[in-house]
Amino acid sequence: MTRDSANTITDDRLDDLYERLATAAHIADTLMCTPRRHGAIVAVLRDLCAGDITPDYALARTAG
């Protein structure tokens, strides 16, 4: 993932970032209180925010 500057970021990129942050917030809010899954959830959040996985994949990895 490349870093955009304020002058070069596109609406599509902003939409993608918003979706990733919203998904990360949802995962953290609903699942972080499960101690036995804490490490796996942190790994998914890290990968999601780094752009290594999609929001849909992050939700699938943390489902159930």
Side-chain angles (χ1 to χ4, degrees):
M1 177 182 287
T2 59
R3 213 167 217 193
D4 296 306
S5 73
N7 293 329
T8 62
I9 196 162
T10 64
D11 286 344
D12 288 341
R13 181 79 174 117
L14 285 173
D15 289 344
D16 179 62
L17 291 171
Y18 177 79
E19 183 179 6
R20 289 177 185 282
L21 289 172
T23 302
H26 169 73
I27 291 169
D29 185 48
T30 58
L31 299 174
M32 288 303 281
C33 61
T34 311
R36 62 185 169 82
R37 296 186 64 205
H38 185 266
I41 294 166
V42 169
V44 168
L45 292 174
R46 182 179 53 243
D47 291 345
L48 174 64
C49 292
D52 295 336
I53 61 175
T54 66
D56 289 337
Y57 186 69
L59 289 172
R61 289 259 323 261
T62 57

